[in-house]
Amino acid sequence: MANRANNAIVGQSGGPTAVINASLAGVFESCKRRGAGKVYGMMHGVAGLLERRVCLLDEKLTCALDIELLKRTPSSYLGSCRYKLPDWHDPEGEAVYRQLFDILAELEIGYFFYIGGNDSMDTIGKLADYGRHVGSGIRFMGVPKTIDNDLMVTDHTPGYGSAAKYIGVVMKELIRDATVYGTKYVTIVEIMGRNAGWLTAAAALARAEDCEGVDMICLPEIPFNVDRFVEKVARMQAKKPSIVIAVSEGVKLEDGRYVCELADDVHAVDAFGHKALTGTARFLANTVARRLDTKTRCIELSTLQRCAGHLTSRTDITEAYQVGGAAVKAAFEGHTGEMVAIKRVSNAPYQTTTELHPISEVANLEKKVPLEWINADHTDMMPEFLAYAMPLIQAELTPIYVEGLPHHIYLPEPEWPARD
């Protein structure tokens, strides 16, 4: 292969996870093993690439310790973005693609890898389509990640297992704390999840022989009714004074509005038209406090659930590394416009493999929690969900501690590409 098409570039996009950097490590090491020339990193995804903000990973990841630190460092080492590529069929939109492909040609890129979720796969699909349109030889591959676990065709997404582990751990600890006084109290915990309740469902993992578990789980897959919610809380509190509830930030009313929109807060919209969701737990806690004679507390896990590197699942970090390597293998074998997916082979013992799917089967689609995995009262998860989720949270990869704190690897400043 000519050297001009032998360099690779990789970017990270969308919300970070605790293991997205393990996928980056998998892409980098696999590229080097397969004889790639230079491996570049996009600083802040495609948005940064348009500004020629890239770094040479060969100069940043120079030893085995760098790779180990990268695997154990949460969030996106290269930075992220939420940038929506325009339609290349539009003349103004095509100018953006010409600019991108000119930069890729300048860097002599033959392989393009994007680590991200739904919107990132949309980016890969558009770039691959335009590449075919102009006869480009660049191979574009999607590497899955998202704590939301809402990507189609893959059994689960890297990032979900660690976030689920964090939620299970935190809910156990909150339940213990909530019961110490023996007085009437309602604790409502808001968990990420716009339209799919996979993360909130993970609160069910807290139930065990040493923990009674959460009292109610509210998922966006089930239409939400505020009055019925308050009635359920009243019935539960008549039997036990302290109630702990896990609620998805994206629970919706029957008319399609998010519950958080009932509050007076202003909700911004990102480049993809997604409303910023926050305040669901606060609204529900205030509503319960007004209608029932009880104290309430609202807790938003917010970004904590996606950056808790100290609670990373070893299963998750291993699979994140593997999908990065699988994407490189596919690209070097001639594939483009596809995403690597995880296929579960068995639960006992837990075994998986990887497979490839066209981006068209993934982009702009969402995988929801199966309704049959939710109990009839819409308050808890069925055993089928626990059998699905439990293998994903197994084992730990302890951070490398220095002076009592986890040690991370990071890029202090974006860089511009070197020019010959």
Side-chain angles (χ1 to χ4, degrees), residues 107-135:
L107 297 175
E108 300 180 350
I109 299 300
Y111 308 97
F112 184 109
F113 304 98
Y114 216 36
I115 308 169
N118 229 314
D119 297 330
S120 304
M121 296 307 114
D122 176 70
T123 296
I124 281 289
K126 288 176 176 177
L127 289 172
D129 286 345
Y130 184 77
R132 282 189 285 264
H133 173 68
V134 297

Side-chain angles (χ1 to χ4, degrees), residues 222-387:
I222 304 297
F224 193 90
N225 183 287
V226 176
D227 293 333
R228 285 199 294 269
F229 172 79
V230 175
E231 291 170 3
K232 284 182 180 180
V233 172
R235 289 198 302 269
M236 290 178 174
Q237 208 167 37
K239 299 177 181 178
K240 54 180 291 195
S242 182
I243 304 299
V244 178
I245 299 168
V247 60
S248 170
E249 64 180 1
V251 287
K252 302 183 193 67
L253 305 172
E254 290 184 345
D255 63 11
R257 286 179 297 159
Y258 291 105
V259 170
C260 64
E261 293 183 79
L262 297 177
D264 295 329
D265 300 347
V266 176
H267 294 83
V269 177
D270 68 13
F272 291 86
H274 305 320
K275 290 182 180 178
L277 304 182
T278 185
T280 301
R282 183 172 66 253
F283 170 79
L284 292 176
N286 290 339
T287 300
V288 169
R290 284 197 305 270
R291 298 191 189 181
L292 303 178
D293 180 23
T294 184
K295 292 183 177 180
T296 62
R297 175 193 291 118
C298 64
I299 299 171
E300 289 188 27
L301 298 187
S302 189
T303 55
L304 295 173
Q305 59 209 295
R306 73 186 192 192
C307 67
H310 62 291
L311 280 175
T312 300
S313 154
R314 182 181 288 270
T315 297
D316 193 23
I317 209 165
T318 299
E319 291 180 337
Y321 183 86
Q322 289 172 341
V323 295
V328 173
K329 178 178 182 292
F332 273 72
E333 291 176 351
H335 292 267
T336 189
E338 295 178 290
M339 186 193 81
V340 177
I342 297 173
K343 180 180 179 179
R344 190 177 304 217
V345 177
S346 66
N347 260 352
Y350 175 68
Q351 292 181 324
T352 62
T353 187
T354 59
E355 57 187 11
L356 301 174
H357 287 267
I359 289 294
S360 60
E361 297 180 6
V362 185
N364 303 311
L365 300 170
E366 286 181 313
K367 180 180 68 177
K368 305 293 185 66
V369 176
L371 295 181
E372 59 269 25
W373 287 6
I374 307 169
N375 71 352
D377 198 32
H378 301 157
T379 58
D380 203 357
M381 304 309 298
M382 300 294 287
E384 290 84 352
F385 170 78
L386 299 177

